[in-house]
Amino acid sequence: MSKTLFEKIAAREIPAEIVYEDDKVLAFRDINPQAPTHILIVPKMPIPRIAEAEAGDNELLGHLLLKAAEVAENEDLKSDGYRLVINNGRNGGESVPHLHVHILGGRALKWPPG
Ligand code: AMP
């Protein structure tokens, strides 16, 4: 299987501004930011999308969300708030088939999304 875009970023084959990394997850700045702070946090294991996650991914997904909150706090987003987004499939707006959580902050975000 060929590597996903985000696996290539984790392997340093494609450059990105990495803000957090451990053995399970990687966080880096989105190349096309939709807010003053826009970071993607991904599991290093390439689960294609949340709909494909399995019971065995329970711990990894918990870790991913807790680290998303930690990254947001480190980016000074905690007091004003921020949004975590997972796009799933065509109607969800998914464009990269490697599970990722968007961390968006630094401005007031509208709801509902268009
Ligand atoms: P989604 O539409 O939810 O699948 O989000 C994919 C995100 O990946 C988009 O916000 C893109 O801007 C972002 N993206 C695509 N290529 C790169 C890259 N090379 N480095 C960082 N972010 C990227």
Side-chain angles (χ1 to χ4, degrees), residues 5-6 9 14 28-32 38 40 87 93-96 100 102:
L5 174 63
F6 296 158
I9 288 176
I14 291 178
F28 51 91
R29 294 195 193 281
D30 197 291
I31 204 168
N32 182 23
H38 187 174
L40 303 176
N87 295 325
E94 174 201 314
S95 62
V96 178
H100 47 284
H102 296 259

PDB file of all heavy atoms in Angstrom, residues 5-6 9 14 28-32 38 40 87 93-96 100 102, ligand 1:
ATOM      1  N   LEU A   5      -0.888  10.943   2.216  1.00  0.00           N
ATOM      2  CA  LEU A   5      -0.244  12.260   2.322  1.00  0.00           C
ATOM      3  C   LEU A   5       0.251  12.501   3.752  1.00  0.00           C
ATOM      4  O   LEU A   5       1.377  12.979   3.965  1.00  0.00           O
ATOM      5  CB  LEU A   5      -1.269  13.329   1.916  1.00  0.00           C
ATOM      6  CG  LEU A   5      -0.859  14.784   2.077  1.00  0.00           C
ATOM      7  CD1 LEU A   5       0.325  15.108   1.180  1.00  0.00           C
ATOM      8  CD2 LEU A   5      -2.035  15.701   1.759  1.00  0.00           C
ATOM      9  N   PHE A   6      -0.581  12.149   4.718  1.00  0.00           N
ATOM     10  CA  PHE A   6      -0.198  12.457   6.099  1.00  0.00           C
ATOM     11  C   PHE A   6       0.867  11.484   6.617  1.00  0.00           C
ATOM     12  O   PHE A   6       1.684  11.855   7.465  1.00  0.00           O
ATOM     13  CB  PHE A   6      -1.443  12.504   6.989  1.00  0.00           C
ATOM     14  CG  PHE A   6      -2.406  13.618   6.629  1.00  0.00           C
ATOM     15  CD1 PHE A   6      -3.745  13.550   7.001  1.00  0.00           C
ATOM     16  CD2 PHE A   6      -1.981  14.725   5.903  1.00  0.00           C
ATOM     17  CE1 PHE A   6      -4.633  14.571   6.668  1.00  0.00           C
ATOM     18  CE2 PHE A   6      -2.862  15.755   5.553  1.00  0.00           C
ATOM     19  CZ  PHE A   6      -4.191  15.678   5.936  1.00  0.00           C
ATOM     20  N   ILE A   9       3.988  13.104   5.463  1.00  0.00           N
ATOM     21  CA  ILE A   9       4.380  14.209   6.359  1.00  0.00           C
ATOM     22  C   ILE A   9       5.043  13.636   7.607  1.00  0.00           C
ATOM     23  O   ILE A   9       6.103  14.115   8.034  1.00  0.00           O
ATOM     24  CB  ILE A   9       3.158  15.094   6.692  1.00  0.00           C
ATOM     25  CG1 ILE A   9       2.768  15.912   5.454  1.00  0.00           C
ATOM     26  CG2 ILE A   9       3.452  16.007   7.886  1.00  0.00           C
ATOM     27  CD1 ILE A   9       1.516  16.754   5.598  1.00  0.00           C
ATOM     28  N   ILE A  14       7.303  14.938   2.992  1.00  0.00           N
ATOM     29  CA  ILE A  14       6.648  16.178   2.559  1.00  0.00           C
ATOM     30  C   ILE A  14       6.785  17.140   3.738  1.00  0.00           C
ATOM     31  O   ILE A  14       6.521  16.751   4.886  1.00  0.00           O
ATOM     32  CB  ILE A  14       5.156  15.922   2.221  1.00  0.00           C
ATOM     33  CG1 ILE A  14       5.053  15.078   0.952  1.00  0.00           C
ATOM     34  CG2 ILE A  14       4.386  17.219   2.076  1.00  0.00           C
ATOM     35  CD1 ILE A  14       3.632  14.725   0.569  1.00  0.00           C
ATOM     36  N   PHE A  28       0.185  19.127  12.884  1.00  0.00           N
ATOM     37  CA  PHE A  28       0.921  20.055  12.013  1.00  0.00           C
ATOM     38  C   PHE A  28      -0.048  21.100  11.476  1.00  0.00           C
ATOM     39  O   PHE A  28      -1.268  20.881  11.439  1.00  0.00           O
ATOM     40  CB  PHE A  28       1.598  19.291  10.852  1.00  0.00           C
ATOM     41  CG  PHE A  28       0.675  18.377  10.093  1.00  0.00           C
ATOM     42  CD1 PHE A  28      -0.005  18.831   8.980  1.00  0.00           C
ATOM     43  CD2 PHE A  28       0.446  17.081  10.517  1.00  0.00           C
ATOM     44  CE1 PHE A  28      -0.883  18.003   8.292  1.00  0.00           C
ATOM     45  CE2 PHE A  28      -0.430  16.241   9.842  1.00  0.00           C
ATOM     46  CZ  PHE A  28      -1.097  16.704   8.727  1.00  0.00           C
ATOM     47  N   ARG A  29       0.496  22.242  11.049  1.00  0.00           N
ATOM     48  CA  ARG A  29      -0.360  23.337  10.577  1.00  0.00           C
ATOM     49  C   ARG A  29      -0.943  23.011   9.205  1.00  0.00           C
ATOM     50  O   ARG A  29      -0.241  22.486   8.328  1.00  0.00           O
ATOM     51  CB  ARG A  29       0.422  24.654  10.527  1.00  0.00           C
ATOM     52  CG  ARG A  29       0.828  25.096  11.909  1.00  0.00           C
ATOM     53  CD  ARG A  29       1.294  26.530  12.018  1.00  0.00           C
ATOM     54  NE  ARG A  29       1.931  26.688  13.320  1.00  0.00           N
ATOM     55  CZ  ARG A  29       1.273  26.845  14.477  1.00  0.00           C
ATOM     56  NH1 ARG A  29      -0.042  26.914  14.485  1.00  0.00           N
ATOM     57  NH2 ARG A  29       1.925  26.940  15.620  1.00  0.00           N
ATOM     58  N   ASP A  30      -2.234  23.318   9.048  1.00  0.00           N
ATOM     59  CA  ASP A  30      -2.907  23.099   7.760  1.00  0.00           C
ATOM     60  C   ASP A  30      -2.296  24.027   6.707  1.00  0.00           C
ATOM     61  O   ASP A  30      -2.020  25.198   6.960  1.00  0.00           O
ATOM     62  CB  ASP A  30      -4.414  23.359   7.902  1.00  0.00           C
ATOM     63  CG  ASP A  30      -5.199  22.776   6.757  1.00  0.00           C
ATOM     64  OD1 ASP A  30      -5.074  23.291   5.612  1.00  0.00           O
ATOM     65  OD2 ASP A  30      -5.944  21.801   6.976  1.00  0.00           O
ATOM     66  N   ILE A  31      -2.102  23.502   5.514  1.00  0.00           N
ATOM     67  CA  ILE A  31      -1.460  24.261   4.433  1.00  0.00           C
ATOM     68  C   ILE A  31      -2.381  25.369   3.900  1.00  0.00           C
ATOM     69  O   ILE A  31      -1.908  26.330   3.297  1.00  0.00           O
ATOM     70  CB  ILE A  31      -1.045  23.290   3.292  1.00  0.00           C
ATOM     71  CG1 ILE A  31       0.077  23.860   2.465  1.00  0.00           C
ATOM     72  CG2 ILE A  31      -2.236  22.885   2.427  1.00  0.00           C
ATOM     73  CD1 ILE A  31       0.720  22.848   1.522  1.00  0.00           C
ATOM     74  N   ASN A  32      -3.674  25.243   4.157  1.00  0.00           N
ATOM     75  CA  ASN A  32      -4.663  26.215   3.655  1.00  0.00           C
ATOM     76  C   ASN A  32      -5.564  26.634   4.823  1.00  0.00           C
ATOM     77  O   ASN A  32      -6.729  26.260   4.889  1.00  0.00           O
ATOM     78  CB  ASN A  32      -5.464  25.558   2.523  1.00  0.00           C
ATOM     79  CG  ASN A  32      -6.482  26.501   1.910  1.00  0.00           C
ATOM     80  OD1 ASN A  32      -6.352  27.727   1.990  1.00  0.00           O
ATOM     81  ND2 ASN A  32      -7.517  25.939   1.312  1.00  0.00           N
ATOM     82  N   HIS A  38      -5.021  26.900  12.552  1.00  0.00           N
ATOM     83  CA  HIS A  38      -5.652  25.735  11.913  1.00  0.00           C
ATOM     84  C   HIS A  38      -4.612  24.630  11.867  1.00  0.00           C
ATOM     85  O   HIS A  38      -3.650  24.687  11.083  1.00  0.00           O
ATOM     86  CB  HIS A  38      -6.150  26.089  10.515  1.00  0.00           C
ATOM     87  CG  HIS A  38      -6.959  25.001   9.865  1.00  0.00           C
ATOM     88  ND1 HIS A  38      -7.591  25.175   8.654  1.00  0.00           N
ATOM     89  CD2 HIS A  38      -7.243  23.725  10.247  1.00  0.00           C
ATOM     90  CE1 HIS A  38      -8.215  24.051   8.315  1.00  0.00           C
ATOM     91  NE2 HIS A  38      -8.019  23.150   9.274  1.00  0.00           N
ATOM     92  N   LEU A  40      -3.949  20.306  11.994  1.00  0.00           N
ATOM     93  CA  LEU A  40      -4.501  18.954  11.830  1.00  0.00           C
ATOM     94  C   LEU A  40      -3.767  18.028  12.779  1.00  0.00           C
ATOM     95  O   LEU A  40      -2.535  18.098  12.880  1.00  0.00           O
ATOM     96  CB  LEU A  40      -4.298  18.458  10.396  1.00  0.00           C
ATOM     97  CG  LEU A  40      -4.886  19.330   9.286  1.00  0.00           C
ATOM     98  CD1 LEU A  40      -4.509  18.753   7.916  1.00  0.00           C
ATOM     99  CD2 LEU A  40      -6.398  19.446   9.411  1.00  0.00           C
ATOM    100  N   ASN A  87     -14.142  15.638   9.180  1.00  0.00           N
ATOM    101  CA  ASN A  87     -14.943  15.490   7.967  1.00  0.00           C
ATOM    102  C   ASN A  87     -14.888  14.019   7.539  1.00  0.00           C
ATOM    103  O   ASN A  87     -13.815  13.428   7.475  1.00  0.00           O
ATOM    104  CB  ASN A  87     -14.381  16.384   6.859  1.00  0.00           C
ATOM    105  CG  ASN A  87     -14.515  17.861   7.201  1.00  0.00           C
ATOM    106  OD1 ASN A  87     -15.493  18.264   7.828  1.00  0.00           O
ATOM    107  ND2 ASN A  87     -13.542  18.661   6.811  1.00  0.00           N
ATOM    108  N   GLY A  93     -17.169  16.491   3.338  1.00  0.00           N
ATOM    109  CA  GLY A  93     -16.105  17.384   2.869  1.00  0.00           C
ATOM    110  C   GLY A  93     -14.714  16.806   3.033  1.00  0.00           C
ATOM    111  O   GLY A  93     -13.721  17.539   2.951  1.00  0.00           O
ATOM    112  N   GLU A  94     -14.627  15.490   3.251  1.00  0.00           N
ATOM    113  CA  GLU A  94     -13.305  14.857   3.396  1.00  0.00           C
ATOM    114  C   GLU A  94     -12.550  14.889   2.069  1.00  0.00           C
ATOM    115  O   GLU A  94     -13.095  14.506   1.047  1.00  0.00           O
ATOM    116  CB  GLU A  94     -13.516  13.401   3.849  1.00  0.00           C
ATOM    117  CG  GLU A  94     -12.250  12.581   3.895  1.00  0.00           C
ATOM    118  CD  GLU A  94     -12.568  11.090   3.840  1.00  0.00           C
ATOM    119  OE1 GLU A  94     -13.465  10.609   4.559  1.00  0.00           O
ATOM    120  OE2 GLU A  94     -11.910  10.407   3.026  1.00  0.00           O
ATOM    121  N   SER A  95     -11.298  15.351   2.122  1.00  0.00           N
ATOM    122  CA  SER A  95     -10.477  15.346   0.904  1.00  0.00           C
ATOM    123  C   SER A  95      -9.209  14.508   1.051  1.00  0.00           C
ATOM    124  O   SER A  95      -8.582  14.192   0.045  1.00  0.00           O
ATOM    125  CB  SER A  95     -10.115  16.783   0.498  1.00  0.00           C
ATOM    126  OG  SER A  95      -9.337  17.407   1.498  1.00  0.00           O
ATOM    127  N   VAL A  96      -8.814  14.184   2.254  1.00  0.00           N
ATOM    128  CA  VAL A  96      -7.618  13.345   2.463  1.00  0.00           C
ATOM    129  C   VAL A  96      -8.046  12.098   3.238  1.00  0.00           C
ATOM    130  O   VAL A  96      -8.510  12.198   4.377  1.00  0.00           O
ATOM    131  CB  VAL A  96      -6.523  14.106   3.241  1.00  0.00           C
ATOM    132  CG1 VAL A  96      -5.320  13.206   3.474  1.00  0.00           C
ATOM    133  CG2 VAL A  96      -6.100  15.371   2.493  1.00  0.00           C
ATOM    134  N   HIS A 100      -8.212  12.656  10.302  1.00  0.00           N
ATOM    135  CA  HIS A 100      -7.582  13.850  10.872  1.00  0.00           C
ATOM    136  C   HIS A 100      -8.638  14.668  11.578  1.00  0.00           C
ATOM    137  O   HIS A 100      -9.788  14.745  11.145  1.00  0.00           O
ATOM    138  CB  HIS A 100      -6.884  14.682   9.790  1.00  0.00           C
ATOM    139  CG  HIS A 100      -7.704  14.924   8.565  1.00  0.00           C
ATOM    140  ND1 HIS A 100      -7.912  13.946   7.600  1.00  0.00           N
ATOM    141  CD2 HIS A 100      -8.387  16.009   8.150  1.00  0.00           C
ATOM    142  CE1 HIS A 100      -8.682  14.447   6.640  1.00  0.00           C
ATOM    143  NE2 HIS A 100      -8.994  15.690   6.965  1.00  0.00           N
ATOM    144  N   HIS A 102      -9.429  18.477  12.622  1.00  0.00           N
ATOM    145  CA  HIS A 102      -9.067  19.883  12.449  1.00  0.00           C
ATOM    146  C   HIS A 102      -9.195  20.575  13.801  1.00  0.00           C
ATOM    147  O   HIS A 102     -10.211  20.414  14.493  1.00  0.00           O
ATOM    148  CB  HIS A 102     -10.032  20.578  11.484  1.00  0.00           C
ATOM    149  CG  HIS A 102     -10.011  20.070  10.074  1.00  0.00           C
ATOM    150  ND1 HIS A 102      -9.351  20.726   9.057  1.00  0.00           N
ATOM    151  CD2 HIS A 102     -10.594  18.984   9.507  1.00  0.00           C
ATOM    152  CE1 HIS A 102      -9.528  20.058   7.922  1.00  0.00           C
ATOM    153  NE2 HIS A 102     -10.281  19.002   8.167  1.00  0.00           N
TER     154      HIS A 102
HETATM  155  P1  AMP B   1     -10.399  17.387   4.825  1.00  0.00           P
HETATM  156  O1  AMP B   1     -11.012  18.238   3.757  1.00  0.00           O
HETATM  157  O2  AMP B   1     -11.183  17.353   6.101  1.00  0.00           O
HETATM  158  O3  AMP B   1     -10.043  16.007   4.308  1.00  0.00           O
HETATM  159  O4  AMP B   1      -9.056  18.128   5.243  1.00  0.00           O
HETATM  160  C1  AMP B   1      -7.854  17.934   4.601  1.00  0.00           C
HETATM  161  C2  AMP B   1      -7.003  19.099   4.974  1.00  0.00           C
HETATM  162  O5  AMP B   1      -5.655  18.804   4.642  1.00  0.00           O
HETATM  163  C3  AMP B   1      -7.339  20.414   4.282  1.00  0.00           C
HETATM  164  O6  AMP B   1      -7.695  21.397   5.249  1.00  0.00           O
HETATM  165  C4  AMP B   1      -6.063  20.773   3.532  1.00  0.00           C
HETATM  166  O7  AMP B   1      -5.817  22.160   3.503  1.00  0.00           O
HETATM  167  C5  AMP B   1      -5.033  20.012   4.331  1.00  0.00           C
HETATM  168  N1  AMP B   1      -3.815  19.695   3.602  1.00  0.00           N
HETATM  169  C6  AMP B   1      -3.723  19.170   2.360  1.00  0.00           C
HETATM  170  N2  AMP B   1      -2.427  19.001   2.017  1.00  0.00           N
HETATM  171  C7  AMP B   1      -1.703  19.425   3.094  1.00  0.00           C
HETATM  172  C8  AMP B   1      -0.291  19.509   3.361  1.00  0.00           C
HETATM  173  N3  AMP B   1       0.629  19.113   2.456  1.00  0.00           N
HETATM  174  N4  AMP B   1       0.091  20.020   4.549  1.00  0.00           N
HETATM  175  C9  AMP B   1      -0.816  20.428   5.452  1.00  0.00           C
HETATM  176  N5  AMP B   1      -2.149  20.371   5.255  1.00  0.00           N
HETATM  177  C10 AMP B   1      -2.582  19.871   4.093  1.00  0.00           C
END
